[in-house]
Amino acid sequence: MAVPMLRTSISLAPATSARGMATLKDIETRLKSVKNIKKITSSMKMVSAAKFTRAEKALKPARVYGTGATALYEKNEFESSKGKELILAVSSDRGLCGGVHSAIAKNIRATNLEKPVENLIIIGDKVKAMLSKQMSNAFVVTYNNVGKSQASFTDAIDVAEEALSTEYDTANIIYNNFVNVVSYKTKGKEVPGLEAVESNDGIYLYDEVDSEVLKCYQEFTLANIIHHAIKEQEASEQSARMNAMENATRNAGEMIDKLTLQYNRTRQAVITRELIEIISGANALD
C-alpha cells in the first residue's frame, strides 16, 4: 500500500506547482489588462477635458440667447393647456458619462406614469434605446449622430421645424442643466404652442404682428431654446464623462497596486514552495 501512496504524492507535486504558475500567469495577464485600461481612461479623460472646455465656452452665448428667448414666455401669462403635450428629450449617442442619459429617461418615465406620453422627439440614441421598449409608439422622430461634434444652430432649427409640424399645446424640453464641473440638474422647460401665443393679448403690446410673423418668431424662439438645451446637455455630458474617466483611472490605479501586491506574494509563494521541494528531495536522497 505504501507504493501507490508514494506514486500519488509524486504525481500531485507537479500539479500543485503547475496550478501556482497558472495563477501567477493569470495575475500577470490581468495586471497587463488593467494597465492598458488605465492608459485608455487616462487618455479619454484628457480628451473629455479638452471637449468640456470647448463646450463650456460655447454654452455662454447660447445661455444668453436661450434665457432671452424664454423671458417672453415667463413675463406673459399663457393659457396652460395640457391637451396635447410634446416632449423633446435632449441626449446624445455616446456613453461612459455616468447617469447623464439615464436621468433624462427616468424623468420621461415619471412623466409617462402621471399621464401617457403621446408625442416624443428624441435627440440622441442613448435615451432612444432606454425608452424604445416601453414608449416606442410615442416616437415622432429621433435624431442620431449626436455628440461626435458640437451641434450648431442649424441643427436646432431642424428640430424646431419638426416640432412645430407636430400639433401640440405645450412643448416640454427635458435636458441636463449644467451647474458646475461636478454637478448637473435634470430639468424641463415648457414652451407654449403657437395657438396659446396667438391668443395672448400681451404679445401684441410689443408690436403689430400678424400670424405669419408670429409663426416665424415662434420658430426662432423655439430654436434658440432647443439650441440652449443642447449646449447645456453637451457641457453636462463632457463634465460627467471627464469625472467618470477620472474615477475609472483612479480605480484602475488602485487595482494595479492590489494586483501587483498579489502577484509578488504569489511569486514568492511559488519560489518558496519550489525551494522546499528541492530541499525535501535532497534530504530524501540523503
Side-chain angles (χ1 to χ4, degrees):
M1 295 296 294
V3 175
M5 289 181 64
L6 183 59
R7 290 177 180 172
T8 304
S9 62
I10 291 174
S11 62
L12 283 176
T16 305
S17 178
R19 282 200 299 269
M21 292 301 293
T23 303
L24 193 63
K25 186 175 181 181
D26 291 342
I27 296 173
E28 187 177 1
T29 303
R30 189 179 179 190
L31 186 60
K32 184 178 179 181
S33 176
V34 175
K35 286 181 179 179
N36 292 334
I37 291 174
K38 183 180 178 181
K39 291 180 182 178
I40 295 172
T41 55
S42 180
S43 300
M44 291 184 67
K45 174 191 171 184
M46 291 187 290
V47 172
S48 298
K51 289 185 177 181
F52 168 71
T53 303
R54 293 196 297 267
E56 188 180 22
K57 184 178 180 181
L59 173 61
K60 294 179 179 179
R63 181 174 284 176
V64 174
Y65 284 100
T67 305
T70 55
L72 176 66
Y73 302 128
E74 293 175 352
K75 294 181 179 180
N76 290 276
E77 296 182 358
F78 294 92
E79 295 182 2
S80 59
S81 174
K82 295 295 182 180
K84 294 181 180 179
E85 185 178 12
L86 172 67
I87 293 181
L88 197 154
V90 182
S91 68
S92 73
D93 296 352
R94 310 193 66 173
L96 299 177
C97 52
V100 170
H101 304 305
S102 59
I104 296 175
K106 183 179 179 180
N107 190 301
I108 296 175
R109 290 193 188 101
T111 304
N112 189 48
L113 291 176
E114 297 176 359
K115 179 183 177 181
V117 177
E118 298 180 356
N119 300 312
L120 180 60
I121 295 178
I122 299 178
I123 301 175
D125 283 340
K126 285 297 179 179
V127 173
K128 175 187 175 182
M130 294 177 185
L131 301 177
S132 59
K133 292 183 179 179
Q134 300 174 347
M135 306 172 61
S136 59
N137 294 331
F139 290 178
V140 176
V141 65
T142 59
Y143 296 88
N144 55 7
N145 294 327
V146 182
K148 294 182 179 179
S149 60
Q150 289 191 358
S152 63
F153 188 71
T154 305
D155 299 327
I157 291 177
D158 294 338
V159 179
E161 290 177 349
E162 187 65 36
L164 290 173
S165 65
T166 306
E167 295 183 359
Y168 65 90
D169 297 321
T170 304
N172 188 12
I173 304 173
I174 300 176
Y175 62 99
N176 288 308
N177 185 58
F178 175 75
V179 179
N180 51 48
V181 182
V182 295
S183 64
Y184 57 88
K185 184 178 180 181
T186 305
K187 62 184 298 185
K189 183 175 292 186
E190 291 189 356
V191 180
L194 183 60
E195 294 182 1
V197 175
E198 290 178 346
S199 61
N200 188 284
D201 296 333
I203 293 295
Y204 302 97
L205 295 176
Y206 294 92
D207 197 0
E208 294 183 1
V209 293
D210 54 13
S211 59
E212 188 65 27
V213 174
L214 204 59
K215 182 179 179 181
C216 293
Y217 178 78
Q218 179 75 358
E219 180 180 346
F220 178 73
T221 304
L222 183 61
N224 271 317
I225 296 174
I226 293 174
H227 184 250
H228 172 216
I230 293 174
K231 292 303 177 182
E232 293 278 1
Q233 173 68 23
E234 286 179 351
S236 301
E237 179 183 339
Q238 295 300 337
S239 64
R241 183 175 291 111
M242 182 176 62
N243 293 326
M245 292 302 103
E246 183 179 1
N247 294 333
T249 304
R250 183 171 59 252
N251 294 336
E254 294 176 358
M255 188 175 293
I256 288 172
D257 294 337
K258 293 180 180 179
L259 288 173
T260 302
L261 181 61
Q262 184 181 0
Y263 176 81
N264 292 333
R265 287 178 176 175
T266 305
R267 183 177 62 178
Q268 185 178 4
V270 171
I271 295 173
T272 303
R273 184 169 61 248
E274 290 179 352
L275 289 174
I276 291 173
E277 291 174 356
I278 293 173
I279 296 172
S280 298
N283 293 333
L285 291 175
D286 293 339

